Amino acid sequence: MAGPVLELDCLRVDYDTVCAVHDLSLQLLPGDVYGLVGPNGAGKTTTLRATAGLLEPTYGRVRIRGFDLHRQPHEAKRLIGFTPDHSPAYNDLTVWEYLDLYASAYELPRERRGPRISECIAMAWLQEKHDALVGGLSRGMKQRLMLARTLLHDPPVMLLDEPASGLDPLGRRELRDLLVRLREAGKAILISSHILSEMSAFCTKMGVMERGRLVKQGTVADLAGLLPKAQKVFVRTAKPGWGETPSSLPVVGGVPRAEARQSLAPPSEDGTRLEDLLRAESHVIGIEPRDGAVVFDWTGSDAEAAELLRRLVNAGVAIIEFRPHAVDMEEIFLRTGVKELS
Ligand code: ATP
């Protein structure tokens, strides 16, 4: 089996009095997509910049395919592609000229440059902006350009700092598809993001950073395993209950705060009936409105859930949807102690 392609060993980075990254260790194998998440100021960008060789760590090691970034910077840096979270500076160049400049800096053979730039422009969905000036690109388009630049020399290790920021929903989906393709091609990708729910779609591993420390890491399934052993169930009735503003509804212990509920449209008859029946169930822990429907934690077995459904229907609740509800990453992190995720 191939060894790690990227290793961070006890990495520490200080800025004057601030310790931005504290003894952080992680390893990526080819085909690993490692999602680094955490609140503002957790140290994600600093970790990525130190891994890219743009910041000198206070101590600790970065190895790329076994090359020590400090001792063998030339060999190590050739294997890295880095997408920073800020825009490119060369505003007077066209997209093509900008990429050509970097292709030559990466020492791509002259005859390979044109075809490779075209490939990268296509992979980053920038075909229409081929001859546009960099300075005139929107934020999302600049983000795509940075991604195209990162792909140019086909590096085995990619470091992406908030690559989805500035992308519209279609752009995010395209990015996700591209990351899946890169993962399948065996790239090792370290990616930071605030968009937790989307990370679980393509990450093979996740790490949660808080105040410079990696406080949790593992596969998405490992992190999901940190949750209480209850599964979530999603129920929608023909006439939904309160839920017109579900995402803004404050919840205490799984139950919406009374004052918030009063400010919403009253629940339908079905909604009230469903809630009353669920509250009487011993295997139901928390009940939350979600997208016009209801989600609750269920501690019983699947057979008991089938019985519950039968009871609800027999009690006259017009149920049109009753299914397991996938736990998203945001929920995992919020419930496992990381408080300030944005
Ligand atoms: P965000 O999600 O807001 O981008 P982050 O997780 O990427 O945050 P960093 O930008 O790595 O966090 O910052 C980590 C810590 O280091 C913060 O406390 C920040 O204030 C501090 N910091 C970052 N850059 C510098 C700098 N150039 N000089 C001094 N302190 C810095």
Side-chain angles (χ1 to χ4, degrees):
M1 197 175 109
V5 62
L6 169 64
E7 293 169 87
L8 306 187
D9 188 12
C10 238
L11 193 73
R12 176 176 173 126
V13 184
D14 293 291
Y15 296 109
D16 299 324
T17 55
V18 179
C19 175
V21 178
H22 197 107
D23 293 359
L24 187 144
S25 299
L26 56 85
Q27 295 191 339
L28 270 73
L29 298 169
D32 271 345
V33 181
Y34 191 112
L36 210 48
V37 300
N40 292 130
K44 306 179 295 293
T45 296
T46 305
T47 302
L48 288 167
R49 288 177 63 78
T51 308
L54 299 172
L55 272 178
E56 179 96 26
T58 311
Y59 59 71
R61 268 177 208 288
V62 178
R63 285 195 203 84
I64 315 287
R65 273 201 189 148
F67 292 116
D68 185 301
L69 185 63
H70 184 62
R71 297 201 182 124
Q72 298 155 290
H74 192 67
E75 291 86 344
K77 284 185 183 175
R78 295 178 77 84
L79 303 173
I80 299 172
F82 177 52
T83 299
D85 65 349
H86 59 264
S87 303
Y90 301 94
N91 288 337
D92 296 334
L93 298 182
T94 65
V95 163
W96 182 278
E97 289 166 343
Y98 177 83
L99 292 173
D100 194 41
L101 180 72
Y102 274 87
S104 98
Y106 286 131
E107 298 175 350
L108 257 68
R110 190 173 289 276
E111 67 284 0
R112 274 286 298 137
R113 271 184 222 159
R116 184 60 187 160
I117 292 171
S118 293
E119 278 168 22
C120 293
I121 283 181
M123 279 194 274
W125 314 275
L126 269 172
Q127 293 94 324
E128 287 173 22
K129 299 292 175 184
H130 188 279
D131 293 320
L133 285 178
V134 170
L137 297 179
S138 68
R139 181 157 173 254
M141 288 294 172
K142 283 181 179 160
Q143 203 67 35
R144 290 166 185 252
L145 177 58
M146 303 305 273
L147 202 56
R149 190 189 89 181
T150 306
L151 293 164
L152 274 176
H153 59 305
D154 199 19
V157 174
M158 297 180 65
L159 310 171
L160 311 179
D161 196 3
E162 296 278 353
S165 67
L167 295 185
D168 57 24
L170 176 63
R172 285 183 182 160
R173 200 168 71 205
E174 289 169 338
L175 174 68
R176 193 184 60 206
D177 293 347
L178 175 63
L179 289 171
V180 169
R181 272 192 285 144
L182 293 170
R183 183 184 74 196
E184 287 168 358
K187 305 283 181 202
I189 303 173
L190 183 59
I191 176 172
S192 77
S193 177
H194 284 117
I195 305 168
L196 303 179
S197 51
E198 292 182 9
M199 298 277 272
S200 57
F202 50 77
C203 285
T204 56
K205 295 178 181 166
M206 307 276 297
V208 187
M209 283 193 82
E210 248 186 340
R211 293 184 203 87
R213 291 174 195 270
L214 204 50
V215 291
K216 290 186 180 73
Q217 64 174 330
T219 61
V220 173
D222 289 338
L223 294 173
L226 297 172
L227 289 175
K229 297 281 174 252
Q231 70 165 306
K232 285 197 164 289
V233 179
F234 179 97
V235 186
R236 188 187 299 282
T237 56
K239 290 184 192 143
W242 23 264
E244 284 75 6
T245 57
S247 55
S248 61
L249 193 67
V251 171
V252 177
V255 180
R257 272 197 198 131
E259 67 269 28
R261 289 173 57 178
Q262 279 161 16
S263 68
L264 297 171
S268 67
E269 203 177 308
D270 259 359
T272 311
R273 181 117 190 84
L274 174 64
E275 191 191 345
D276 290 345
L277 290 166
L278 289 178
R279 285 198 193 291
E281 290 286 333
S282 58
H283 288 307
V284 173
I285 298 176
I287 305 167
E288 297 171 25
R290 186 79 56 93
D291 300 333
V294 162
V295 172
F296 59 87
D297 287 323
W298 174 251
T299 59
S301 65
D302 286 353
E304 287 166 324
E307 282 304 315
L308 168 66
L309 174 59
R310 196 192 320 274
R311 280 196 294 281
L312 294 174
V313 171
N314 287 345
V317 184
I319 291 178
I320 55 171
E321 219 178 332
F322 186 97
R323 59 173 168 79
H325 177 68
V327 178
D328 65 24
M329 292 312 300
E330 200 146 80
E331 206 151 339
I332 290 172
F333 295 127
L334 289 172
R335 284 174 165 228
T336 51
V338 180
K339 299 283 188 279
E340 297 163 49
L341 290 168
S342 50

